[in-house]
Amino acid sequence: MTVHAYPPGVPILDAVAREWIAQAGGLADPLRLARGTLLLPTRRAARALAEAFLRLGDGAPLLLPRIVALGALDEAPLAMMGALDLPPAIDPLRRQAELTQLVLAAREAQNTEQAWRLAGELAALMDEAERAEVNLARLPDAADPEFAAHWQRTLQFLAIVTEHWPRHLKERGLMNPGARRVALLDATTRALPALHGDDPLWAVGMTSSTPAVARLLRAIAALPDGRVILPALDTTLPDDVWTLLNETPMHPHAGQARMLAAMEAPRPSAACASPVQGRAGLLSLALCPAQTLDAWSHATPTADATQNLFRITPEDTQHEAVAIALILREALETPAATAALVTPDRDLARRVAAELARYGVVADDSAGENLNETPPAVFLRLLAEAVATRFAPVPLLALLKHPLAALGLPAPVCRNAARALELLCLRGPRPPAGLGGLKRALDLARADKRKPQADADAAADLIARLETATAPLLALSSAMRTAPAALLRTLAESAEAIAASDDTQGPDRLWAWEDGEALATHLAALGDAFQHLPDIDPRDFSLLLDAALQGPVVRSRRALRGRAGGEHPRIHIWGLLESQLQTVDTLVLGGLVEGVWPPATDPGPWLSRPMRRRIGLASPEEIIGQAAHDFVACACAAPHVILSAPRKRDGAPAVPARWLTRIEALLAAHGRTLGQHPAQLWARMLDEPLRVTPAPPPAPRPPVHARPRRLSVTKIETWLADPYAIYAEYILKLRALDPIDQDADHSDYGSIVHAALQTFAQRTGPGASPGMAAILRAAMEQALAEQAVRPALAAYWRPRLMRIADWVAAHEAARRAENPLAAIAPEADGKYALPGGFTLTGRADRLERRGDDGIAILDFKTGTVPARTAVLNGRAPQLPLEAAMAQDGAFGAAFAGRVVELVYWRLTGGRVPGEERSYFATGDDIAAAAASARDGLIALIERFASADQPYLAQPHPDYAPRYAKYAQLARVAEWAAEDDT
């Protein structure tokens, strides 16, 4: 039995290619060189081995041996020999659809999307069991008798895979993919002597195996010219440590030890010495099993153990991406040097690729991306969500602003029309549902002269085009229940119609490039699978689509469109699978934190760890051992290696990978540390300015003629607290946009209360009547209906509004009985001319003239009432200024005269539905406050009439406004941190 092993650090593919060439007697006899087969674990490794042959051939044309990936074994020779007589495998998507039906029949899912996901978990359980050659009929014995009663319900559900599904497959003459793969491997094992005879057959690079793979490797090793070559195997481990590996699944070589045991093969010796022997020894010692940690006390890492092995500890993932990109970019300064990032963290990989683009470097990200995150898949998902939400603002805008959306227009024109639609209809409260509601909202926006009308026609045309493109899909979605396959087919047709531009048909844009082709292929398979699903509620289809698009991975060159040169040949980004057996000059191991690399262990939703062990399934910790082997192999696979573990991830502290912790602990015990790579400093310096000049607070001094000469009483308080806000609103003419799909807030509640009280005052007049409570309740209902808030919010507000109505009615009756009214004016407008040509405007919530000719001014607040000190010291001058206006007849002759009452009504509808607050005891106090407010306003007007007076932002921090709409424009947070005065 021939089993060879290469230690960590040996470029195994180059070594295997060199040995194959040597065995063939060199390159002189091309037919002898091409005779035989090399079996690799992955397609990527197979391609890399072919490249190794070409490197060793110095570019000369070669006739290579057959290089095959383990997952791509050819069935044709077996079938021709009669060694393969297996039923076909069921299509994985069709299997998931049919399992979904069984899950729905078991009533263990609320909808089809949940059932689809559960079906995927069941399929994964079956595949794992079949790879491990475990009979799931043993599941009833999995639970400890103590917990058997709790296990019964789960067991009843798992009868799907133990009883129903095997019977279903047998009736249809099909096999599970996993079972068929095991049978194919066994058929290959039996046919090896006939298939290969005396031809060389080498299996290269296996790090762990299933029982069927182990049998195949054993058969290969027993062939006359067969050989099994193991990568990155530490052959220096003492025998007592090697025997412990079966009990320590998280050790880097535990998988290889299990594989050799299953092959019944002895532990091989090293085929050669490691070029990084010191580093390999350090890793072997640091990662030894816990039972042998006493070796740390008497073993010392060699002097070269940390040579060219560095560590970086970035602040967070973004800082990590910047530092790694700089390391990769620096490698290009050396001619012909190659560099790569290895990480299982796809977010980090994308960030690094984006940072490399900063230097014009396009990295080869061989791990690809999930199909559901590619542009055409996102486009389809957005369309499904937009239809499911009846074109709610956020999904609709996400769809219309997607790069693939065009609706028969040039893409920039479509985008401009979408922006026009956003400004006209989609900012502020949500318009009525559906495209009909959107049309009505656009008609109302056309009538509103405050909104920009320049592109209203373009927005209307966009709605019409969208309606035409989605008409078939909307018709299907209007049904109570619809076939998922029909929905999927119509969704694709509508997506093609939306993707069509003025010069390119929709299919040519949507299904272009590798990701579009992969999506089209996947949708075709999904369409067949969905035929086996029951009808669903169309509103759930977007959720089902999201679930059904997860899983496949695709590499696309769409991002390279328009870029000269394509991917850089010397810079790579690899996932763990793609990195196996590869080597470069500089290697960065990124994302070395717990939960990422190594990954979190999960026994799955069905079985606990003891239950898995009882029926013979592998421990979840075995994935830690495989990740540890990848770490050791990568850490020795290049002359220069940088280990990266950020301090924070997703805003939370990150725990460094256990291997890093062990290495640093071992080195610390001997007074040594890993060297810190300067890339962290580079990353910090890259965007750090040479000199930091704090931004001073803004102090604009516009010309006097541009300064406002007319303000409302409510803006005077803003003028006092934040003059910059007046500058931005009235001089720069800036208006803050409403949020998209704005929720009803407290201002809507206040509008309802004010409108109801206005209606109430108009209907009752100044007199008192016993029906005031009913009148006010009806007014509240009317105002609530006119505000058109969502039903749930209306149901929440209605009881509060009724409590306000009852309190106001009772309070009004008492007030009017005590002081009969001669006249009442709700929402009264006034205009007040002041010296210097300044006009003060105002709208009083209510003016009342009493029978004694005294004037009362009422202000209704549904939120916070101004503090007494703020009113008395002039910081909240609204009511005193309204009193000054009334005294001078600014509200008209009917309400001109002495003001005897200034009252705030706080109306919340809560536990205390309403309360009255008055800060002035007599009419003389009111007159004095009004005069003071008027004089203060005149002084303010005179001060800002000077060209030297700046409009400062929040000049009095103690009196900063609660809602500063222009604080971001004034960059308050930036300069306030530098100025504590």
Side-chain angles (χ1 to χ4, degrees):
M1 183 174 288
T2 307
V3 179
H4 292 182
Y6 286 99
V10 175
I12 184 171
L13 296 182
D14 284 36
V16 167
R18 190 177 295 110
E19 191 171 349
W20 185 279
I21 292 171
Q23 180 172 292
L27 303 175
D29 187 352
L31 293 180
R32 186 177 178 188
L33 179 68
R35 180 171 155 261
T37 302
L38 288 152
L39 186 64
L40 279 295
T42 65
R43 289 180 172 87
R44 178 79 185 184
R47 289 195 298 271
L49 180 58
E51 293 169 2
F53 273 108
L54 294 176
R55 280 196 301 273
L56 295 176
D58 199 22
L62 297 177
L63 194 58
L64 295 181
R66 186 165 175 257
I67 302 176
V68 184
L70 185 62
L73 294 176
D74 190 1
E75 299 183 23
L78 295 173
M80 293 174 65
M81 294 172 54
L84 186 68
D85 184 17
L86 297 175
I90 187 171
D91 178 76
L93 287 175
R94 182 167 181 177
R95 174 178 66 169
Q96 191 160 351
E98 293 180 355
L99 284 171
T100 300
Q101 279 190 312
L102 294 175
V103 172
L104 289 171
R107 298 185 177 180
E108 291 293 335
Q110 295 181 355
N111 55 41
T112 307
E113 177 261 340
Q114 288 185 2
W116 181 273
R117 295 183 186 276
L118 282 175
E121 296 288 354
L122 290 175
L125 176 64
M126 288 191 290
D127 288 342
E128 182 184 9
E130 285 159 351
R131 286 194 301 269
E133 300 181 20
V134 170
N135 188 353
L136 289 178
R138 299 173 57 188
L139 281 177
D141 302 325
D144 190 284
E146 182 180 355
F147 305 108
H150 300 281
W151 169 239
Q152 287 306 309
R153 179 173 177 180
T154 302
L155 193 60
Q156 290 171 5
F157 178 68
L158 291 179
I160 292 173
V161 298
T162 59
E163 300 175 17
H164 305 308
W165 186 249
R167 185 167 59 247
H168 178 69
L169 286 179
K170 186 175 181 181
E171 291 170 354
R172 296 183 53 203
L174 296 172
M175 296 181 72
N176 269 331
R180 195 175 191 280
R181 174 174 166 76
V182 169
L184 174 61
L185 288 170
D186 283 341
T188 303
T189 300
R190 292 190 297 270
L192 277 182
L195 283 174
H196 295 277
D198 295 333
D199 291 346
L201 174 59
W202 294 4
V204 180
M206 310 301 173
T207 57
S208 62
S209 68
T210 62
V213 172
R215 291 192 292 269
L216 175 63
L217 295 179
R218 183 172 61 204
I220 291 173
L223 290 175
D225 202 357
R227 191 177 301 183
V228 174
I229 301 173
L230 304 183
L233 178 64
D234 184 3
T235 57
T236 65
L237 285 175
D239 290 338
D240 60 332
V241 175
W242 184 262
T243 58
L244 287 172
L245 295 188
N246 284 332
E247 305 170 16
T248 53
M250 292 185 288
H251 190 274
H253 303 297
Q256 290 168 306
R258 287 191 302 272
M259 182 175 68
L260 289 169
M263 292 172 57
E264 301 176 358
R267 179 162 57 126
S269 58
C272 62
S274 171
V276 287
Q277 187 63 47
R279 189 187 304 172
L282 168 67
L283 295 174
S284 177
L285 184 60
L287 274 61
C288 65
Q291 299 93 319
T292 62
L293 279 178
D294 59 322
W296 285 19
S297 60
H298 53 76
T300 302
T302 59
D304 63 340
T306 57
Q307 183 177 1
N308 294 326
L309 181 64
F310 301 99
R311 169 82 189 275
I312 59 173
T313 53
E315 293 298 326
D316 53 30
T317 306
Q318 178 56 29
H319 188 208
E320 181 182 23
V322 174
I324 291 173
L326 285 167
I327 294 171
L328 301 180
R329 175 62 185 85
E330 190 222 8
L332 296 179
E333 296 299 307
T334 303
T338 56
L341 162 67
V342 177
T343 180
D345 185 352
R346 300 309 307 147
D347 176 64
L348 176 61
R350 284 190 291 268
R351 288 174 184 264
V352 171
E355 290 296 327
L356 285 170
R358 185 177 189 173
Y359 315 114
V361 176
V362 180
D364 174 17
D365 187 355
S366 62
E369 61 181 326
N370 290 329
L371 178 63
N372 67 330
E373 295 176 357
T374 59
V378 169
F379 183 63
L380 239 66
R381 292 166 57 201
L382 288 173
L383 174 56
E385 184 181 1
V387 172
T389 58
R390 301 185 67 189
F391 298 104
V394 173
L396 175 61
L397 284 176
L399 172 67
L400 294 177
K401 292 186 178 183
H402 191 281
L404 286 173
L407 285 165
L409 301 166
V413 174
C414 179
R415 221 73 68 239
N416 288 335
R419 295 188 188 100
L421 181 65
E422 173 188 340
L423 294 175
L424 287 165
C425 303
L426 302 179
R427 287 194 171 269
R430 178 184 295 194
L435 293 178
L438 208 56
K439 291 178 183 178
R440 291 193 295 273
L442 184 58
D443 291 339
L444 292 174
R446 285 179 183 271
D448 188 349
K449 300 307 179 185
R450 295 172 299 176
K451 294 194 173 184
Q453 302 293 319
D455 295 322
D457 292 339
D461 178 61
L462 191 71
I463 295 174
R465 290 173 180 268
L466 182 62
E467 185 173 32
T468 302
T470 59
L473 183 59
L474 293 175
L476 272 182
S477 300
S478 63
M480 294 293 293
R481 301 192 73 79
T482 308
L487 281 169
L488 183 66
R489 182 176 59 255
T490 311
L491 177 75
E493 292 169 356
S494 293
E496 290 176 350
I498 297 173
S501 68
D502 60 324
D503 58 0
T504 308
Q505 294 183 350
D508 293 338
R509 298 187 74 226
L510 186 58
W511 314 120
W513 302 93
E514 294 87 348
D515 50 9
E517 182 179 353
L519 178 61
T521 302
H522 188 68
L523 290 181
L526 270 183
D528 293 337
F530 279 7
Q531 297 283 355
H532 302 277
L533 291 179
D535 291 354
I536 65 171
D537 185 334
R539 292 173 296 182
D540 295 334
F541 180 69
S542 63
L543 300 175
L544 175 60
L545 182 68
D546 286 349
L549 289 179
Q550 290 181 2
V553 175
V554 60
R555 288 188 63 204
S556 174
R557 297 177 61 84
R558 183 187 293 267
L560 301 181
R561 184 177 182 181
R563 295 189 183 215
E567 295 164 342
H568 201 288
R570 295 195 282 138
I571 298 295
H572 310 277
I573 298 176
W574 293 327
L576 298 188
L577 187 64
E578 292 74 29
S579 69
Q580 291 179 5
L581 313 183
Q582 305 260 43
T583 184
V584 287
D585 297 308
T586 299
L587 197 61
V588 183
L589 277 58
L592 285 168
V593 297
E594 290 293 321
V596 178
W597 191 6
T601 58
D602 181 11
W606 314 116
L607 305 171
S608 64
R609 284 175 171 81
M611 295 164 74
R612 292 173 63 88
R613 185 168 56 250
R614 194 169 285 118
I615 68 171
L617 287 176
S619 165
E621 280 67 32
E622 288 187 10
I623 65 171
I624 302 291
Q626 181 60 51
H629 185 273
D630 292 336
F631 170 75
V632 170
C634 290
C636 296
H640 296 83
V641 173
I642 298 92
L643 310 177
S644 174
R647 291 191 179 95
K648 288 184 178 180
R649 178 177 167 80
D650 297 331
V655 179
R658 59 196 72 185
W659 314 308
L660 275 178
T661 304
R662 277 194 165 210
I663 293 168
E664 291 181 331
L666 173 61
L667 290 174
H670 297 279
R672 298 168 62 182
T673 61
L674 287 175
Q676 290 292 317
H677 195 280
Q680 280 180 246
L681 179 61
W682 300 344
R684 194 172 294 112
M685 295 172 60
L686 185 64
D687 296 314
E688 189 174 281
L690 295 177
R691 184 180 62 204
V692 177
T693 304
R701 293 176 173 84
V704 173
H705 68 82
R707 303 188 179 202
R709 308 302 297 165
R710 180 189 182 100
L711 290 174
S712 68
V713 290
T714 56
K715 293 297 181 182
I716 302 305
E717 182 175 350
T718 303
W719 199 3
L720 290 167
D722 190 7
Y724 186 87
I726 299 298
Y727 165 76
E729 184 173 355
Y730 290 93
I731 299 175
L732 298 182
K733 307 295 185 185
L734 298 177
R735 299 287 186 274
L737 292 175
D738 291 329
I740 296 173
D741 201 0
Q742 182 181 27
D743 287 333
D745 58 14
H746 203 81
S747 64
D748 298 284
Y749 186 71
S751 298
I752 293 170
V753 172
H754 278 72
L757 290 175
Q758 180 182 6
T759 301
F760 167 75
Q762 292 169 343
R763 291 179 181 175
T764 61
S769 67
M772 286 195 298
I775 295 172
L776 190 47
R777 278 175 166 263
M780 289 288 187
E781 286 285 3
Q782 177 184 341
L784 181 61
E786 290 174 352
Q787 194 68 21
V789 298
R790 62 183 186 275
L793 190 59
Y796 174 70
W797 279 352
R798 184 173 286 105
R800 304 172 72 89
L801 295 173
M802 296 305 109
R803 286 195 289 271
I804 291 173
D806 294 342
W807 183 88
V808 170
H811 198 65
E812 285 276 12
R815 285 185 79 250
R816 297 186 187 190
E818 181 180 352
N819 293 299
L821 302 183
I824 184 170
E827 303 297 329
D829 291 323
K831 186 185 297 184
Y832 193 26
L834 292 169
F838 191 92
T839 301
L840 179 67
T841 63
R843 171 174 288 186
D845 289 346
R846 184 190 293 181
L847 297 176
E848 296 176 349
R849 177 175 289 281
R850 296 181 175 178
D852 58 4
D853 280 347
I855 304 298
I857 302 178
L858 280 67
D859 191 54
F860 307 137
K861 301 290 187 186
T862 55
T864 303
V865 175
R868 178 186 182 88
T869 54
V871 175
L872 296 181
N873 67 17
R875 307 304 306 179
Q878 178 184 347
L879 276 189
L881 284 175
E882 289 180 359
M885 294 173 68
Q887 287 173 358
D888 290 347
F891 291 109
F895 291 94
R898 177 180 171 82
V899 178
V900 297
E901 188 177 16
L902 291 180
V903 178
Y904 292 103
W905 280 7
R906 185 168 184 263
L907 307 172
T908 64
R911 186 176 58 83
V912 179
E915 60 178 319
E916 181 177 290
R917 293 187 188 179
S918 177
Y919 300 144
F920 302 99
T922 66
D924 291 340
D925 294 337
I926 294 174
S932 175
R934 181 181 183 279
D935 294 343
L937 177 56
I938 291 173
L940 186 66
I941 294 168
E942 291 175 350
R943 187 161 72 249
F944 278 89
S946 169
D948 294 331
Q949 175 62 40
Y951 284 81
L952 300 177
Q954 303 181 19
H956 307 290
D958 291 340
Y959 302 113
R962 292 183 62 196
Y963 304 105
K965 293 192 295 185
Y966 300 95
Q968 183 178 11
L969 182 67
R971 300 167 74 173
V972 171
E974 184 175 336
W975 54 260
E978 302 291 335
D979 183 9
D980 295 330
T981 57

